[in-house]
Amino acid sequence: MRISDSQLKAFIFDGGLVKERDLEQAAEEAVKTGTELRAVLLKKNLVSDEDLKKLEAYILGIPFVNLEKETVDPAVLNIIPEQLAQKHQMVAFQRNGKELQVAMVDPDDIQTLEFIKKKAGLRILPRLTTEKGIQAVLRQYQKTLEAEFGEIIKKDGGGESLEIVHDETRGADVEGEDLKKLAEDLPVIKIADTFLRHAILQGASDIHVEPTEKDVVVRFRIDGILHDAMTLPKQFAPGIVARIKVMANLKIDEHRLPQDGRFKIETPEYRISFRVSILPVFDGEKLVLRLLPESSKGYTLEKLGFNSHNLDIIHRNIVKPTGIILVTGPTGSGKTTTLYTILDLLNKPGVNISTVEDPIEYRMPRINQTQVRPDIGMTFANGLRALLRQDPNIIMVGEIRDTETASLAINAALTGHLVLSTLHTNSAAGALPRLLDMKVEPFLIASTVNSIMAQRLVRTLHGEKTLAKFTAGEEEALARQVDLKKMVEIMRHEKVIGPSEGIKDISWSRPKKSEEAPDGYKGRIGIHEVLEMSEAVSQLVMKNATADEIEKQGRAEGMITMLEDGFMKVAKGITTFEEVLRVTSE
């Protein structure tokens, strides 16, 4: 049943899916590299996985099904055990009497189909689908968080080992060996493992475990918004805290002081590093775990949401051999991801790249990454000072927090290095007065800073959208936020609207709720502003100008503000006005 490359090529050509020249080049590359033609076509984005699967299904005479939005009856789904479905990328999704429809990505896996036929005693009807479709159905094997917690609590919650709360209002007073036993108690391990796994599957960036007077609230931050995930009986609080402390190698009997630690979870599907923060509160100890995927995400600046105007500025400045490039924004705005994406562009065999970070969020090959350890004297300043003796071409400093680090970064840029770093400011223009506040000389800032990016993350619309034209009131409200004439010019330049279209011609998107996206949003993208250090901006820095004065000059020179970039993404149907205003109206 395997389709040969020549057969696939002929059908793609007949169907007009790929231009003849592109198809020939892909076929040549497949022969040269010894890879399959389909792999080369997908890598070059010449055809979508779904279109390719549909074509393969047509060639083989097997029906194609799209399972990405399909909800499968659990009784049908569990005909094929989860482990077998995961291993062979094959799921049962529909049953009619003695016939069972089974979707798969590999039509050659006849042996597994025969095994399922014998085990289930049903006639198997094979169907082809995409990997995304299979993954969507595989996620349905997971029970809901409430169901799993409910089963654990119902089954094990009454055990004597958990009845240890001495002061209901202040958390448990458990010490030493009792805490170790509690951390190793089976229900506690199950609960901790369950909410960690569900947080990973739901794409959470943070987990909050918060003790209250009567219970324990578990919340997940998904796409920047905190959601209640589960409420547990108060008796589980000390056990969960002890379990996480053991996993993060923290002091299990320390309840009075904050603690920070790390641990990692690795499976065939994902590698996640957890950054743990424990803080004493009135009702016990609050846990916050930040999830940091370690696998390379393959981001590009375009995928992060940079428009063509800003991309030109960034590419113009990152190829300079010296200077400073800054990324600004609040915690959780994607600054580090932007820096890693730029480092990936610069990561060539001919350069030495070194970083000093807190924490190392993503591991990158051929880049020398150093972890800050303030407890032993390894600060950003000391790490940067040491890096300068390591013959680097490019240096990335996780964050400029103080005068010493700022001065060292400036000196590194002056002595022939390209320095990338972050600052906590609300706008690109605000970074320059912030450096002045750190006692950096104005002439040094003007001569070393190449460009500054500011960013926020907005939630993206998912699935079907509701489209609507502006009302007169909405247009008036928008005019108070941005210069509509300039917005139209920007959108025409970015080809968001046609040369003769205006604000009134755009159909703006609104979220539409669905089962997969309860509030109509899923995923996030960046909105950005990029300020380039021009001669006029340098003169303002030399005069100790305010952030407003610098921003005014930047806009006069063509800078697109975050608000304007956000509204462009609204016009493209990527997000909504409410989202843009939510993250920009500090």
Side-chain angles (χ1 to χ4, degrees), residues 354-374:
S354 295
T355 75
V356 53
E357 307 171 54
D358 184 26
I360 296 172
E361 294 194 12
Y362 305 116
R363 295 292 306 279
M364 298 191 73
R366 300 180 66 91
I367 290 180
N368 310 291
Q369 297 173 267
T370 303
Q371 171 71 50
V372 167
R373 292 280 305 277

PDB file of all heavy atoms in Angstrom, residues 354-374:
ATOM      1  N   SER A 354      27.502  33.539  23.832  1.00  0.00           N
ATOM      2  CA  SER A 354      27.448  33.167  25.244  1.00  0.00           C
ATOM      3  C   SER A 354      26.298  33.907  25.907  1.00  0.00           C
ATOM      4  O   SER A 354      25.999  35.057  25.561  1.00  0.00           O
ATOM      5  CB  SER A 354      28.762  33.517  25.953  1.00  0.00           C
ATOM      6  OG  SER A 354      29.835  32.741  25.435  1.00  0.00           O
ATOM      7  N   THR A 355      25.659  33.256  26.876  1.00  0.00           N
ATOM      8  CA  THR A 355      24.542  33.890  27.580  1.00  0.00           C
ATOM      9  C   THR A 355      24.712  33.744  29.081  1.00  0.00           C
ATOM     10  O   THR A 355      25.377  32.818  29.550  1.00  0.00           O
ATOM     11  CB  THR A 355      23.186  33.256  27.190  1.00  0.00           C
ATOM     12  OG1 THR A 355      23.052  31.977  27.827  1.00  0.00           O
ATOM     13  CG2 THR A 355      23.049  33.085  25.684  1.00  0.00           C
ATOM     14  N   VAL A 356      24.097  34.656  29.818  1.00  0.00           N
ATOM     15  CA  VAL A 356      23.974  34.515  31.267  1.00  0.00           C
ATOM     16  C   VAL A 356      22.500  34.787  31.578  1.00  0.00           C
ATOM     17  O   VAL A 356      21.977  35.855  31.259  1.00  0.00           O
ATOM     18  CB  VAL A 356      24.941  35.458  32.035  1.00  0.00           C
ATOM     19  CG1 VAL A 356      24.798  36.893  31.601  1.00  0.00           C
ATOM     20  CG2 VAL A 356      24.765  35.317  33.537  1.00  0.00           C
ATOM     21  N   GLU A 357      21.819  33.777  32.157  1.00  0.00           N
ATOM     22  CA  GLU A 357      20.354  33.802  32.238  1.00  0.00           C
ATOM     23  C   GLU A 357      19.865  33.383  33.619  1.00  0.00           C
ATOM     24  O   GLU A 357      20.565  32.692  34.351  1.00  0.00           O
ATOM     25  CB  GLU A 357      19.750  32.846  31.202  1.00  0.00           C
ATOM     26  CG  GLU A 357      20.239  33.059  29.777  1.00  0.00           C
ATOM     27  CD  GLU A 357      19.785  31.959  28.839  1.00  0.00           C
ATOM     28  OE1 GLU A 357      18.568  31.704  28.784  1.00  0.00           O
ATOM     29  OE2 GLU A 357      20.631  31.338  28.169  1.00  0.00           O
ATOM     30  N   ASP A 358      18.641  33.768  33.916  1.00  0.00           N
ATOM     31  CA  ASP A 358      17.972  33.349  35.151  1.00  0.00           C
ATOM     32  C   ASP A 358      16.468  33.277  34.910  1.00  0.00           C
ATOM     33  O   ASP A 358      15.775  34.274  35.003  1.00  0.00           O
ATOM     34  CB  ASP A 358      18.277  34.342  36.283  1.00  0.00           C
ATOM     35  CG  ASP A 358      17.662  33.885  37.614  1.00  0.00           C
ATOM     36  OD1 ASP A 358      17.460  32.665  37.774  1.00  0.00           O
ATOM     37  OD2 ASP A 358      17.404  34.748  38.469  1.00  0.00           O
ATOM     38  N   PRO A 359      15.945  32.071  34.600  1.00  0.00           N
ATOM     39  CA  PRO A 359      16.644  30.805  34.408  1.00  0.00           C
ATOM     40  C   PRO A 359      16.984  30.592  32.935  1.00  0.00           C
ATOM     41  O   PRO A 359      16.601  31.399  32.088  1.00  0.00           O
ATOM     42  CB  PRO A 359      15.593  29.784  34.856  1.00  0.00           C
ATOM     43  CG  PRO A 359      14.310  30.397  34.379  1.00  0.00           C
ATOM     44  CD  PRO A 359      14.474  31.893  34.520  1.00  0.00           C
ATOM     45  N   ILE A 360      17.658  29.468  32.648  1.00  0.00           N
ATOM     46  CA  ILE A 360      17.854  29.045  31.256  1.00  0.00           C
ATOM     47  C   ILE A 360      16.537  28.409  30.817  1.00  0.00           C
ATOM     48  O   ILE A 360      16.210  27.302  31.234  1.00  0.00           O
ATOM     49  CB  ILE A 360      19.022  28.051  31.134  1.00  0.00           C
ATOM     50  CG1 ILE A 360      20.339  28.733  31.542  1.00  0.00           C
ATOM     51  CG2 ILE A 360      19.112  27.503  29.710  1.00  0.00           C
ATOM     52  CD1 ILE A 360      21.523  27.795  31.636  1.00  0.00           C
ATOM     53  N   GLU A 361      15.768  29.129  30.016  1.00  0.00           N
ATOM     54  CA  GLU A 361      14.415  28.666  29.689  1.00  0.00           C
ATOM     55  C   GLU A 361      14.406  27.653  28.553  1.00  0.00           C
ATOM     56  O   GLU A 361      13.624  26.708  28.553  1.00  0.00           O
ATOM     57  CB  GLU A 361      13.518  29.861  29.362  1.00  0.00           C
ATOM     58  CG  GLU A 361      13.302  30.756  30.569  1.00  0.00           C
ATOM     59  CD  GLU A 361      12.158  31.739  30.375  1.00  0.00           C
ATOM     60  OE1 GLU A 361      11.401  31.581  29.412  1.00  0.00           O
ATOM     61  OE2 GLU A 361      12.046  32.667  31.192  1.00  0.00           O
ATOM     62  N   TYR A 362      15.220  27.855  27.522  1.00  0.00           N
ATOM     63  CA  TYR A 362      15.304  26.909  26.415  1.00  0.00           C
ATOM     64  C   TYR A 362      16.763  26.563  26.176  1.00  0.00           C
ATOM     65  O   TYR A 362      17.620  27.440  26.186  1.00  0.00           O
ATOM     66  CB  TYR A 362      14.731  27.507  25.113  1.00  0.00           C
ATOM     67  CG  TYR A 362      13.326  28.014  25.218  1.00  0.00           C
ATOM     68  CD1 TYR A 362      13.042  29.370  25.037  1.00  0.00           C
ATOM     69  CD2 TYR A 362      12.270  27.161  25.487  1.00  0.00           C
ATOM     70  CE1 TYR A 362      11.742  29.852  25.129  1.00  0.00           C
ATOM     71  CE2 TYR A 362      10.976  27.631  25.583  1.00  0.00           C
ATOM     72  CZ  TYR A 362      10.716  28.969  25.406  1.00  0.00           C
ATOM     73  OH  TYR A 362       9.433  29.430  25.492  1.00  0.00           O
ATOM     74  N   ARG A 363      17.035  25.286  25.974  1.00  0.00           N
ATOM     75  CA  ARG A 363      18.390  24.861  25.641  1.00  0.00           C
ATOM     76  C   ARG A 363      18.622  25.027  24.152  1.00  0.00           C
ATOM     77  O   ARG A 363      17.805  24.605  23.338  1.00  0.00           O
ATOM     78  CB  ARG A 363      18.594  23.404  26.042  1.00  0.00           C
ATOM     79  CG  ARG A 363      18.526  23.149  27.538  1.00  0.00           C
ATOM     80  CD  ARG A 363      19.701  23.769  28.277  1.00  0.00           C
ATOM     81  NE  ARG A 363      20.976  23.335  27.729  1.00  0.00           N
ATOM     82  CZ  ARG A 363      21.564  22.163  28.014  1.00  0.00           C
ATOM     83  NH1 ARG A 363      20.982  21.323  28.843  1.00  0.00           N
ATOM     84  NH2 ARG A 363      22.713  21.844  27.494  1.00  0.00           N
ATOM     85  N   MET A 364      19.755  25.643  23.782  1.00  0.00           N
ATOM     86  CA  MET A 364      20.053  25.873  22.369  1.00  0.00           C
ATOM     87  C   MET A 364      21.418  25.292  22.021  1.00  0.00           C
ATOM     88  O   MET A 364      22.403  25.554  22.715  1.00  0.00           O
ATOM     89  CB  MET A 364      20.047  27.368  22.057  1.00  0.00           C
ATOM     90  CG  MET A 364      18.708  28.036  22.295  1.00  0.00           C
ATOM     91  SD  MET A 364      18.639  29.706  21.634  1.00  0.00           S
ATOM     92  CE  MET A 364      18.548  29.399  19.871  1.00  0.00           C
ATOM     93  N   PRO A 365      21.495  24.475  20.962  1.00  0.00           N
ATOM     94  CA  PRO A 365      22.774  23.887  20.569  1.00  0.00           C
ATOM     95  C   PRO A 365      23.772  24.951  20.126  1.00  0.00           C
ATOM     96  O   PRO A 365      23.379  25.979  19.561  1.00  0.00           O
ATOM     97  CB  PRO A 365      22.401  22.953  19.402  1.00  0.00           C
ATOM     98  CG  PRO A 365      21.103  23.466  18.891  1.00  0.00           C
ATOM     99  CD  PRO A 365      20.403  24.058  20.066  1.00  0.00           C
ATOM    100  N   ARG A 366      25.052  24.724  20.419  1.00  0.00           N
ATOM    101  CA  ARG A 366      26.170  25.584  20.016  1.00  0.00           C
ATOM    102  C   ARG A 366      26.150  26.952  20.687  1.00  0.00           C
ATOM    103  O   ARG A 366      26.884  27.857  20.296  1.00  0.00           O
ATOM    104  CB  ARG A 366      26.220  25.765  18.488  1.00  0.00           C
ATOM    105  CG  ARG A 366      26.399  24.480  17.699  1.00  0.00           C
ATOM    106  CD  ARG A 366      26.434  24.767  16.206  1.00  0.00           C
ATOM    107  NE  ARG A 366      27.621  25.541  15.878  1.00  0.00           N
ATOM    108  CZ  ARG A 366      28.793  25.030  15.523  1.00  0.00           C
ATOM    109  NH1 ARG A 366      28.931  23.707  15.451  1.00  0.00           N
ATOM    110  NH2 ARG A 366      29.809  25.791  15.235  1.00  0.00           N
ATOM    111  N   ILE A 367      25.301  27.125  21.714  1.00  0.00           N
ATOM    112  CA  ILE A 367      25.299  28.383  22.474  1.00  0.00           C
ATOM    113  C   ILE A 367      25.680  28.069  23.912  1.00  0.00           C
ATOM    114  O   ILE A 367      25.143  27.141  24.516  1.00  0.00           O
ATOM    115  CB  ILE A 367      23.919  29.071  22.393  1.00  0.00           C
ATOM    116  CG1 ILE A 367      23.687  29.594  20.967  1.00  0.00           C
ATOM    117  CG2 ILE A 367      23.821  30.221  23.389  1.00  0.00           C
ATOM    118  CD1 ILE A 367      22.375  30.294  20.751  1.00  0.00           C
ATOM    119  N   ASN A 368      26.627  28.818  24.454  1.00  0.00           N
ATOM    120  CA  ASN A 368      27.134  28.579  25.809  1.00  0.00           C
ATOM    121  C   ASN A 368      26.250  29.312  26.805  1.00  0.00           C
ATOM    122  O   ASN A 368      26.315  30.540  26.911  1.00  0.00           O
ATOM    123  CB  ASN A 368      28.587  29.076  25.919  1.00  0.00           C
ATOM    124  CG  ASN A 368      29.449  28.543  24.778  1.00  0.00           C
ATOM    125  OD1 ASN A 368      29.732  27.358  24.715  1.00  0.00           O
ATOM    126  ND2 ASN A 368      29.837  29.420  23.868  1.00  0.00           N
ATOM    127  N   GLN A 369      25.408  28.564  27.521  1.00  0.00           N
ATOM    128  CA  GLN A 369      24.419  29.164  28.411  1.00  0.00           C
ATOM    129  C   GLN A 369      24.826  28.982  29.877  1.00  0.00           C
ATOM    130  O   GLN A 369      25.123  27.875  30.310  1.00  0.00           O
ATOM    131  CB  GLN A 369      23.045  28.540  28.157  1.00  0.00           C
ATOM    132  CG  GLN A 369      22.528  28.804  26.747  1.00  0.00           C
ATOM    133  CD  GLN A 369      21.251  28.047  26.435  1.00  0.00           C
ATOM    134  OE1 GLN A 369      21.287  26.944  25.891  1.00  0.00           O
ATOM    135  NE2 GLN A 369      20.111  28.630  26.763  1.00  0.00           N
ATOM    136  N   THR A 370      24.826  30.081  30.621  1.00  0.00           N
ATOM    137  CA  THR A 370      25.229  30.081  32.027  1.00  0.00           C
ATOM    138  C   THR A 370      24.055  30.488  32.905  1.00  0.00           C
ATOM    139  O   THR A 370      23.367  31.472  32.610  1.00  0.00           O
ATOM    140  CB  THR A 370      26.404  31.065  32.250  1.00  0.00           C
ATOM    141  OG1 THR A 370      27.485  30.697  31.395  1.00  0.00           O
ATOM    142  CG2 THR A 370      26.871  31.038  33.691  1.00  0.00           C
ATOM    143  N   GLN A 371      23.841  29.732  33.988  1.00  0.00           N
ATOM    144  CA  GLN A 371      22.746  30.001  34.921  1.00  0.00           C
ATOM    145  C   GLN A 371      23.211  30.931  36.045  1.00  0.00           C
ATOM    146  O   GLN A 371      24.265  30.717  36.648  1.00  0.00           O
ATOM    147  CB  GLN A 371      22.263  28.676  35.530  1.00  0.00           C
ATOM    148  CG  GLN A 371      21.285  28.810  36.674  1.00  0.00           C
ATOM    149  CD  GLN A 371      19.916  29.288  36.217  1.00  0.00           C
ATOM    150  OE1 GLN A 371      19.347  28.753  35.289  1.00  0.00           O
ATOM    151  NE2 GLN A 371      19.392  30.303  36.882  1.00  0.00           N
ATOM    152  N   VAL A 372      22.425  31.980  36.305  1.00  0.00           N
ATOM    153  CA  VAL A 372      22.717  32.877  37.431  1.00  0.00           C
ATOM    154  C   VAL A 372      22.478  32.140  38.748  1.00  0.00           C
ATOM    155  O   VAL A 372      21.496  31.413  38.893  1.00  0.00           O
ATOM    156  CB  VAL A 372      21.822  34.135  37.352  1.00  0.00           C
ATOM    157  CG1 VAL A 372      21.851  34.915  38.641  1.00  0.00           C
ATOM    158  CG2 VAL A 372      22.260  35.016  36.199  1.00  0.00           C
ATOM    159  N   ARG A 373      23.379  32.321  39.722  1.00  0.00           N
ATOM    160  CA  ARG A 373      23.237  31.708  41.054  1.00  0.00           C
ATOM    161  C   ARG A 373      23.591  32.751  42.113  1.00  0.00           C
ATOM    162  O   ARG A 373      24.713  32.772  42.634  1.00  0.00           O
ATOM    163  CB  ARG A 373      24.179  30.498  41.192  1.00  0.00           C
ATOM    164  CG  ARG A 373      23.835  29.300  40.322  1.00  0.00           C
ATOM    165  CD  ARG A 373      22.715  28.476  40.917  1.00  0.00           C
ATOM    166  NE  ARG A 373      23.009  28.059  42.276  1.00  0.00           N
ATOM    167  CZ  ARG A 373      23.757  26.986  42.593  1.00  0.00           C
ATOM    168  NH1 ARG A 373      24.308  26.248  41.650  1.00  0.00           N
ATOM    169  NH2 ARG A 373      23.931  26.655  43.863  1.00  0.00           N
ATOM    170  N   PRO A 374      22.678  33.656  42.444  1.00  0.00           N
ATOM    171  CA  PRO A 374      22.986  34.727  43.407  1.00  0.00           C
ATOM    172  C   PRO A 374      23.411  34.201  44.773  1.00  0.00           C
ATOM    173  O   PRO A 374      24.180  34.852  45.482  1.00  0.00           O
ATOM    174  CB  PRO A 374      21.665  35.502  43.517  1.00  0.00           C
ATOM    175  CG  PRO A 374      20.895  35.140  42.288  1.00  0.00           C
ATOM    176  CD  PRO A 374      21.306  33.756  41.942  1.00  0.00           C
TER     177      PRO A 374
END
